[in-house]
Amino acid sequence: METFVAALDQGTTSSRAILFSRTGDIAGMAQHPFRQIYPQPGWVEHDPLEIWATEKRALSEAAEAAGPGQIAALGITNQRETAILWERATGRPVYNAIVWQCRRTAAICDRLKAQGLEETVAEKTGLLMDAYFSGTKIKWMLDTVPGLRSRAERGELCFGTVDSWLIWNLTGGRVHVTDYSNASRTMLFNIRTLEWDRELCAALDVPLCLLPEPRPNSETYGTVAAGIPGLEALAGIPICGSAGDQAAALFGQACFAPGQAKNTYGTGCFTLMNIGETPARSQAGLVTSVGWSVKGKTAYALEGSVFNAGSAIQWLRDELGLIGSAPECDRLAESVPSSGGVYVVPAFTGLGAPYWDMYARGTIVGLTRGTTRAHIARAVLDSIAFQVTDLIRVMEEVRPLTELRVDGGASVSDLLMQTQADLLGLPVDRPVQVETTAFGAAALAGLAAGVWRDFDELERLRRSQRVFRPHREGAECAGEYRQWRRAVERSRGWIENEL
């Protein structure tokens, strides 16, 4: 009988489930979108119950699509910094999930900086003080929603990032855990001791009893509970792998050696480099997180985060109506030789690394009467490649790269990948299996369950589909990059209260 490993890939805009065979091939897959909630400008929320319902449905459908076979293990990967609070007794959420993109806690971050906490956060957590991370989201809910703080202090509530929320529901409320990679994105976790930091929890007024137990990334956390509607046939399957989406992608890309790096082109863009078993601080706007902890060894990752990448393509489709589907953006962009001098900075929710500007806003420059929607589509694709170039340039100050491994939905665009190779002057390696985030979660679970023996076996499963090599002259790309940086500075000069 065929053996499968199931991966739940819970992302920012959809919930997916993928079943992988022992050869790393996809045996079954299902995906369901869910609502994006925007209560105010710069605020982003999700309904936790909708996340669970769509993920549960996807898992049931993927298992059915795979046909006869045994699911040996289940792994989870997820949007990382999104914060959820729920009742310990009932499992009911007490507020919508505050999404990683949400900027509502920028003022809290400013106050904590004024108190001198920024250096402590950087030293202990490897992160910067920013609304991106979960800690200030928890504080906002406890301080703002009536009754939540007293209930949290009485131990009546649970906090979790999406991994914790899914594990809680899959185990019928029996298990409240998180993995080290997700914990390291909360701004409350000491990445050296691999424990919640009491000083930081006190500074942010977050009760320790609210937090899940941090655990390594490849071990059994619990089993799928009996009686979950739609998942009855999966009861008893061990849940034994978990990692935040970017750490999972780094693992799924087999970046097991220090110096290997990948970029995921999703809602945002995330470039991670394996830096080995010792955490290191960046002086150029990058952050350090736990990549994974497997069999007693912890690998750390240097990371640069772009907040809006694929979401800019969604913006063209959903808000502007310039395209009818995401693939149409590619076709339009290919119809013109360049953006015609148009530059788009998609700072819809501020700018991430290396700028870390919570107050920047989206900008379009270079428009002329001859600008068409094709030029704007091309400029949006270019903006994704420019933002990744920003990250790689500061990352190479730590360690030079020889290639960039890529994955994520937008990596299927040949035009985008070629543009990326030209701007970086480096080969861009796209694997046959572009679902590397989900495979990373499956691989972590499969290691714990004995489906795969070791890292060497997993590395042999990765195969290159195409390597994009630089085609254009470096001087031409350098000129475009300078124009991009000028456009970025315009986006950073946007001050709402002066308009």
Side-chain angles (χ1 to χ4, degrees):
M1 180 178 289
E2 182 73 51
T3 297
F4 304 120
V5 179
L8 301 187
D9 183 359
Q10 205 297 302
T12 308
T13 59
S14 69
S15 296
R16 304 195 306 159
I18 303 178
L19 266 63
F20 293 93
S21 68
R22 290 194 75 256
T23 58
D25 297 313
I26 293 176
M29 178 166 59
Q31 177 174 354
H32 295 286
F34 53 87
R35 290 177 302 146
Q36 306 297 300
I37 304 168
Y38 305 105
Q40 296 182 30
W43 290 28
V44 191
E45 296 179 358
H46 293 156
D47 180 348
L49 294 177
E50 196 173 356
I51 287 176
W52 167 233
T54 52
E55 193 60 83
K56 180 175 64 171
R57 181 180 169 193
L59 176 57
S60 174
E61 291 175 357
E64 184 177 349
Q70 175 190 9
I71 300 178
L74 190 153
I76 292 171
T77 185
N78 58 285
Q79 48 169 320
R80 293 174 296 176
E81 298 80 9
T82 296
I84 304 173
L85 292 181
W86 66 90
E87 293 177 339
R88 191 177 296 274
T90 67
R92 289 195 298 262
V94 296
Y95 193 80
N96 274 344
I98 299 182
V99 180
W100 58 272
Q101 297 167 312
C102 188
R103 313 310 292 168
R104 77 184 66 187
T105 64
I108 296 175
C109 293
D110 289 341
R111 290 197 297 271
L112 293 172
K113 289 178 183 178
Q115 295 169 15
L117 196 63
E118 194 167 16
E119 176 59 26
T120 301
V121 167
E123 178 60 31
K124 291 187 172 186
T125 72
L127 306 179
L128 303 175
M129 182 75 71
D130 193 84
Y132 176 28
F133 304 109
S134 310
T136 57
K137 295 176 172 62
I138 306 171
K139 178 175 173 58
W140 186 92
M141 285 189 276
L142 296 182
D143 289 346
T144 306
V145 181
L148 286 195
R149 179 164 293 284
S150 59
R151 295 190 67 189
E153 290 171 347
R154 291 196 300 268
E156 296 176 9
L157 303 181
C158 296
F159 158 75
T161 42
V162 174
D163 60 309
S164 296
W165 171 243
L166 293 179
I167 293 171
W168 173 277
N169 281 284
L170 285 166
T171 60
R174 295 181 178 86
V175 180
H176 186 209
V177 300
T178 187
D179 68 82
Y180 291 160
S181 70
N182 276 294
S184 71
R185 307 295 292 188
T186 61
M187 220 163 65
L188 300 170
F189 187 73
N190 190 312
I191 61 173
R192 289 170 173 78
T193 64
L194 302 178
E195 297 173 328
W196 298 118
D197 190 273
R198 291 179 177 273
E199 179 185 5
L200 292 177
C201 289
L204 271 70
D205 299 319
V206 174
L208 283 166
C209 62
L210 192 68
L211 302 176
E213 177 189 357
R215 300 273 289 273
N217 299 81
S218 182
E219 66 172 40
T220 299
Y221 311 121
T223 58
V224 177
I228 299 176
L231 301 183
E232 294 89 350
L234 306 184
I237 292 174
I239 306 160
C240 49
S242 179
D245 50 10
Q246 304 314 316
L250 190 69
F251 198 83
Q253 284 276 28
C255 292
F256 301 140
Q260 291 184 307
K262 70 89 197 173
N263 184 72
T264 296
Y265 298 82
T267 301
C269 271
F270 303 89
T271 306
L272 274 72
M273 176 194 287
N274 184 334
I275 56 172
E277 296 183 38
T278 303
R281 283 183 61 182
S282 164
Q283 303 301 319
L286 303 179
V287 300
T288 304
S289 302
V290 175
W292 54 78
S293 184
V294 177
K295 297 181 180 179
K297 291 187 177 182
T298 301
Y300 293 89
L302 197 63
E303 175 173 347
S305 305
V306 167
F307 294 157
N308 289 281
S311 58
I313 299 174
Q314 293 174 324
W315 169 71
L316 286 181
R317 182 191 66 196
D318 299 339
E319 276 71 43
L320 295 190
L322 294 184
I323 57 175
S325 65
E328 188 180 350
C329 181
D330 226 36
R331 293 193 296 271
L332 266 179
E334 288 176 337
S335 72
V336 291
S338 72
S339 68
V342 176
Y343 291 85
V344 174
V345 183
F348 307 129
T349 52
L351 289 169
Y355 308 102
W356 293 106
D357 188 336
M358 295 182 286
Y359 301 102
R361 287 297 179 265
T363 302
I364 302 178
V365 300
L367 295 174
T368 69
R369 185 65 181 82
T371 299
T372 68
R373 65 191 185 111
H375 292 108
I376 294 174
R378 181 73 177 244
V380 164
L381 286 188
D382 287 351
S383 77
I384 298 172
F386 280 127
Q387 290 180 98
V388 173
T389 302
D390 284 338
L391 301 181
I392 296 297
R393 290 205 169 189
V394 294
M395 194 165 282
E396 288 199 307
E397 294 174 10
V398 177
R399 187 167 187 154
L401 301 184
T402 57
E403 68 170 7
L404 179 66
R405 297 183 175 185
V406 298
D407 54 64
S411 71
V412 301
S413 168
D414 289 354
L415 176 60
L416 176 56
M417 294 301 96
Q418 188 58 59
T419 300
Q420 192 70 82
D422 291 340
L423 287 170
L424 293 177
L426 291 172
V428 169
D429 183 342
R430 184 173 66 195
V432 171
Q433 178 55 270
V434 296
E435 299 291 354
T436 54
T437 301
F439 181 69
L444 289 164
L447 282 176
V451 176
W452 295 292
R453 293 186 302 274
D454 52 31
F455 285 15
D456 290 341
E457 185 174 4
L458 291 172
E459 190 167 10
R460 287 194 293 270
L461 295 180
R462 187 192 185 278
R463 303 182 301 278
S464 294
Q465 184 262 334
R466 181 173 174 184
V467 177
F468 296 83
R469 302 189 185 280
H471 286 170
R472 290 193 292 153
E473 293 293 330
E476 178 187 355
C477 294
E480 293 175 356
Y481 186 66
R482 283 193 298 271
Q483 294 289 356
W484 158 258
R485 294 298 294 264
R486 292 190 183 103
V488 168
E489 290 311 307
R490 293 189 186 188
S491 78
R492 301 185 70 188
W494 189 93
I495 305 296
E496 184 174 15
N497 59 17
E498 292 183 2
L499 296 181

